[in-house]
Amino acid sequence: MCALPSGKRTGRPRSAAADEAILDATRAALAELGWGRLTLGDVAARAGVAKTTLYRRWPGKNELVVDAVAALFEEQLDVPDRGGLQADIQGVVLRFAELISRPETKTALMAVVAEATLDEALRRRIRAAIVDRQKRLVLIGRERAQARGELPPDDGSAPARDDLIFDVIAGAVVHRVMVSSEPVDQEWAERLARLLVCGLSGLA
């Protein structure tokens, strides 16, 4: 028998349309059914695909839900250019809060974070699919502010600062929305942005 050419894949190629339909169906099912009643069979039926199509792409519900949330962030979360660093931060805070306030997003995040406390592989998937990808927003905002002259050029410590800034913003918004159940409005977002830019002295 002849060997397959190097780099060739066997089987059908993945369909981007099927992937999108599955992820859309997952978010819709989460909003309607919640985590406990969500099944891969229900998602497949809503997406109009065979169960085997879904199982070839995602081994289980945890992975599917993480990717459904990650796709939503990739599509809809960005750093609007508002002409200044503080205003840019305020804009992304409001957009992030709006996304995680959606029933399907809140349900998914709470569920996968709870599951991840006992599943190292799931924690790695969350970091790779959501956390690490969204850290690009901090990089975009920093580079934009440096181009405006609002921040100094890189001195080698930028990656560590970017991580800290991401943790502060994401942690504050997630806690506000999902733990405290308090609104993230214009005033709160402005105060958080001012804290990051000016420090505690800027809140007076």
Side-chain angles (χ1 to χ4, degrees), residues 38-56:
L38 176 70
T39 67
L40 296 190
D42 180 72
V43 170
R46 288 170 184 259
V49 301
K51 288 184 182 179
T52 52
T53 299
L54 193 153
Y55 284 115
R56 279 199 300 268

Side-chain angles (χ1 to χ4, degrees), residues 43-135:
V43 170
R46 288 170 184 259
V49 301
K51 288 184 182 179
T52 52
T53 299
L54 193 153
Y55 284 115
R56 279 199 300 268
R57 290 157 163 77
W58 291 277
K61 182 162 73 172
N62 291 349
E63 294 82 3
L64 175 60
V65 170
V66 169
D67 285 2
V69 174
L72 185 65
F73 287 165
E74 286 288 316
E75 295 165 4
Q76 301 190 27
L77 190 59
D78 59 7
V79 182
D81 189 344
R82 297 190 171 192
L85 178 58
Q86 184 173 314
D88 285 356
I89 294 172
Q90 184 177 344
V92 78
V93 165
L94 289 169
R95 185 62 178 143
F96 180 49
E98 189 275 326
L99 283 175
I100 66 170
S101 295
R102 296 182 183 182
E104 67 271 26
T105 314
K106 184 183 292 187
T107 299
L109 283 176
M110 292 180 72
V112 295
V113 168
E115 292 289 326
T117 61
L118 301 174
D119 188 334
E120 174 58 29
L122 182 57
R123 287 198 293 274
R124 290 196 299 268
R125 193 178 189 99
I126 292 171
R127 284 197 298 269
I130 299 176
V131 176
D132 290 344
R133 289 184 187 177
Q134 295 313 310
K135 285 182 179 179

Side-chain angles (χ1 to χ4, degrees), residues 16-26 43 46-49:
D19 286 355
E20 184 176 354
I22 290 168
L23 296 176
D24 286 345
T26 301
V43 170
R46 288 170 184 259
V49 301

Side-chain angles (χ1 to χ4, degrees), residues 120-203:
E120 174 58 29
L122 182 57
R123 287 198 293 274
R124 290 196 299 268
R125 193 178 189 99
I126 292 171
R127 284 197 298 269
I130 299 176
V131 176
D132 290 344
R133 289 184 187 177
Q134 295 313 310
K135 285 182 179 179
R136 66 183 172 81
L137 300 178
V138 177
L139 174 62
I140 292 169
R142 174 171 56 78
E143 290 179 343
R144 188 181 292 161
Q146 287 171 331
R148 296 190 194 110
E150 296 174 289
L151 291 176
D154 292 344
D155 60 1
S157 62
R161 287 202 306 271
D162 289 350
D163 284 350
L164 179 58
I165 292 168
F166 178 87
D167 289 344
V168 170
I169 293 175
V173 175
V174 168
H175 187 277
R176 180 84 173 175
V177 172
M178 301 178 68
V179 179
S180 300
S181 296
E182 295 287 345
V184 174
D185 53 20
Q186 290 279 352
E187 181 182 358
W188 188 87
E190 182 180 354
R191 288 174 61 82
L192 177 60
R194 192 161 66 245
L195 173 64
L196 284 167
V197 174
C198 304
L200 292 174
S201 60
L203 294 181

